[in-house]
Amino acid sequence: MARTAFLGLGVMGFPMAGHLKATGHEVSVWNRTAAKAQSWAGRHGGKAAASAAEAAEGADCVFMCLGDDPDVRAVALPLLEEMQLGSVLVDHTTASAQLARELHEAASARGIGFVDAPVSGGQAGAENGQLSIMCGGDADVFAKAEPVMQAYAKAIVHAGPAGAGQLTKMVNQICIAGLVQGLSEGIHFAQAAGLDVETVISAVSKGAAQSWQMENRWQTMDQGKFDFGFAIEWMRKDLRIALEEARANGAKLPVTALVDQFYAEVEAMGGKRWDTSSLIARLNRE
């Protein structure tokens, strides 16, 4: 069992830290809103620290699950000055590959390991300990962190050097964006054609059109309910990162750019906190 710290207790971090404690690891937590850390400690029995540095003191592995690049920089760079030699910093935030490379360099200079490890599976995956984790970093450092991350993972892949985890997560979000738009158009078409959507889905979900999104979101999409997953504002942040990376590496992402514009329209409809399946709301608006 490891001595761990978990920084950032949002809808993902709160249950992820809970799984660490439940599997026997020593856990100290920190959150910018101190009440959340106190709430976590009251529920799980770990320690709520007053600062990120206090949480990380003596930890073998420090995990972060924050918001965006500026949040990660603000926490990670000062923290690296305090972490113990030979410890590992794991960033579960979906952030840029460039930031991952910067943190890897800064951590290595201080004898600290770094793994960029964005996750997929949403709030339900975090709560059920069934996340897919995409990792970048040195193989020996990944080997130290992997057994600890097993506490909340169903799959962990080492995708390559620093930044590879973030790049892999970009591929994940690119694929989801196009898939959800296609599913939205399919359901919208079925509705407009007067078909029974349940019957249609029972037919097409047994063939090549099948997907996790279809299996888990078709019914709520048909009903116009969008409170069941990853919020649009966070998806747009992820797509922004992917589109910025594509501009740098020359990849062409026309569908991704278009779907990002569609999400902007849904936000303008008041859907900022709706889940990503709400693309269909744009098609069905009066």
Side-chain angles (χ1 to χ4, degrees):
M1 296 296 103
R3 296 183 67 183
T4 70
F6 207 103
L7 316 177
L9 300 173
V11 296
M12 302 293 287
F14 196 105
M16 290 165 74
H19 287 298
L20 285 175
K21 188 70 171 66
T23 49
H25 299 291
E26 184 179 330
V27 186
S28 180
V29 298
W30 170 82
N31 194 72
R32 280 178 294 190
T33 305
K36 226 173 221 184
Q38 294 291 345
S39 173
W40 184 91
R43 181 179 302 183
H44 296 286
K47 176 188 174 184
S51 67
E54 181 185 323
E57 186 176 354
D60 305 305
C61 290
V62 178
F63 300 92
M64 300 186 297
C65 195
L66 305 170
D68 204 343
D69 281 27
D71 307 299
V72 175
R73 274 198 183 90
V75 172
L77 291 176
L79 188 65
L80 289 172
E81 300 292 326
E82 307 291 336
M83 289 176 62
Q84 66 180 7
L85 186 71
S87 60
V88 179
L89 177 62
V90 178
D91 186 19
H92 287 309
T93 313
T94 296
S96 70
Q98 179 56 38
L99 176 59
R101 297 182 193 108
E102 290 174 15
L103 292 179
H104 175 267
E105 184 177 347
S108 297
R110 299 193 61 79
I112 297 166
F114 176 79
V115 179
D116 53 292
V119 302
S120 180
Q123 184 176 349
E127 291 172 350
N128 296 324
Q130 293 290 296
L131 293 170
S132 294
I133 309 179
M134 297 148 269
C135 301
D138 300 333
D140 58 332
V141 176
F142 169 76
K144 287 183 182 179
E146 182 185 18
V148 188
M149 292 188 289
Q150 291 287 357
Y152 41 76
K154 70 173 179 180
I156 306 175
V157 175
H158 182 217
Q166 297 295 356
L167 292 170
T168 303
K169 178 61 183 288
M170 292 175 209
V171 173
N172 186 78
Q173 301 305 72
I174 290 164
C175 292
I176 289 174
L179 193 156
V180 175
Q181 177 61 20
L183 180 58
S184 297
E185 292 183 16
I187 294 173
H188 172 69
F189 178 89
Q191 293 168 335
L195 296 171
D196 179 76
V197 175
E198 183 173 4
T199 300
V200 170
I201 295 297
S202 70
V204 303
S205 65
K206 304 302 187 294
Q210 188 276 340
S211 69
W212 185 96
Q213 296 289 339
M214 180 178 287
E215 292 290 336
N216 291 275
R217 293 286 179 263
W218 78 263
Q219 192 168 27
T220 51
M221 291 170 75
D222 184 40
Q223 296 168 347
K225 298 177 180 178
F226 309 117
D227 189 26
F228 301 94
F230 193 57
I232 282 179
E233 65 174 329
W234 291 111
M235 182 61 159
R236 291 205 70 211
K237 183 265 290 187
D238 292 359
L239 294 182
R240 184 201 80 224
I241 291 170
L243 291 166
E244 287 173 351
E245 186 69 33
R247 283 191 285 272
N249 69 20
K252 300 173 180 64
L253 304 180
V255 173
T256 304
L258 186 61
V259 174
D260 182 55
Q261 293 175 35
F262 292 162
Y263 276 129
E265 291 182 32
V266 179
E267 281 189 321
M269 293 167 58
K272 185 177 182 180
R273 296 296 303 169
W274 293 351
D275 71 61
T276 52
S277 71
S278 59
L279 281 172
I280 195 172
R282 174 183 162 273
L283 300 174
N284 287 341
R285 62 186 166 185
E286 297 294 332

